[in-house]
Amino acid sequence: MLNAEIKGTGMYVPEKVLTNFDLEKLVDTSDDWIKERTGISERRIAADNQAPSDLALEASKIALSSAGLDAKDLDMIIVCTSTPDIIFPSTACFLQKKLEAGNCAAYDISAVCSGFVFGLSIAEQYIKSGRYQNILVVATEVNSRIVDWKDRSTCVIFGDGSGAMILSKTESSEKIGILSTHIYSDGGYSDLIQNPGGFGKERISKEALEANKFVIKMDGGPTFKLAVRRMTEVSLEALKFNGYTLDDVDWVVPHQANQRIIDAVGAKLKIPKEKVAANIQKYGNTSAASIPIAFHEWTNSNKIKSGDLILMPVLGAGLTWGAALVKW
Ligand code: UT7
């Protein structure tokens, strides 16, 4: 059978560290509140001269090298981001140029925090249909550029980073790699998390800037509840679809939105805490990049071992949500 095998992974986070103590100087918050309510101690912030495509370049180079591939071997580049370099051309086209890849299709997808799982889902279909050999899926976010540094309910949460995966077509008698992906959206909740500034809807104007429209706005409470419910539901769906039960799961690598969401999803699924990957304390919520960053760290440190079954659930603005089930 044809598999979408994970041939390589990579990650990159900027050097600059912003601690909770640094944030205490910006807004009315405390290290204790942020740690207790989110699990975050620090996050990374891109340098002024680093664009999202620069972060993606570093993560992609590591993924290509671990896959033993050259950028010219790529048949497609999918960039998952809600902080593109500019509105157009796509960040994927900038990345393609920086990587010196060939003329493969390169495009961005927008599913906010769920972007990486949505991107994997597209790549999985192209590979399992036999159409393409190697696809780079890379999530990259520079949230620090769209965060409102005066809004304590959001600025303490987000961070910058990039995570990449190369999916390659392989044949084997056993299923490996991406076993399945399950993706959903509900536009009815589009006002829960938004960057409401215009672009196509409204001209960028002094008035729109003064109304502070070009930043992340989030209604955290309802989002939190929906995240726990939807991430749990879709995890169970992914397991059932593949004939597995919760006992078969070796690791959950969830979206890193809030340590309390991670813990609640783990508890609802009755998965022991030591089987749930969490690095939110170091990087905060890096939106679409959080799952591939955690997956890279967990596979590279040999916590995830060959043959392990891994669940990757996510929820993000849109609302969008989904899960990938992976055999490593
Ligand atoms: O990644 C995409 C999906 N995103 C998510 O899943 C995020 C989901 N939501 C969350 O993670 C949480 O709702 C937050 C971390 C955003 C907020 O935590 P919370 O426990 O839901 O706090 P809250 O909004 O209910 O606020 C509780 C209190 C409020 O004060 P009062 O009204 O009780 O006096 C807030 O004003 O905490 C206050 N507060 C803060 N205090 C200190 C809110 N932010 C802060 C802060 N520092 N940074």
Side-chain angles (χ1 to χ4, degrees), residues 3 25 33 40 49 78 95 109 117 132 166 174 176 178 182 186 231 240 243 246 273 306 320 327:
N3 292 302
K25 292 174 203 144
W33 190 96
I40 301 166
N49 63 355
I78 303 174
L95 175 64
I109 62 150
V117 171
Y132 286 134
I166 312 267
E174 251 180 77
I176 50 163
I178 310 295
H182 306 260
D186 184 348
M231 285 165 71
K240 192 170 170 204
L246 286 167
K273 225 181 156 177
S306 174
T320 53
K327 188 94 173 163

Side-chain angles (χ1 to χ4, degrees), residues 29 33 37-38 113 152 156-157 220 255 257-258 260-261 285:
T29 191
W33 190 96
R37 306 307 292 169
T38 71
C113 295
R152 68 175 182 173
V156 303
I157 298 168
H255 171 44
N258 183 320
R260 290 185 297 132
I261 295 177
N285 178 345

Side-chain angles (χ1 to χ4, degrees), residues 10 21 39 59 88 112 128 148 157 165 177-178 186-187 206 212 219 238 253 258 288 294 300 303 309:
F21 299 105
F88 66 85
V112 201
K128 288 189 178 167
D148 180 353
I157 298 168
M165 235 181 228
I178 310 295
D186 184 348
K206 196 163 156 266
N212 200 25
D219 192 355
V253 180
N258 183 320
N300 254 39
K303 287 178 188 150
L309 187 70

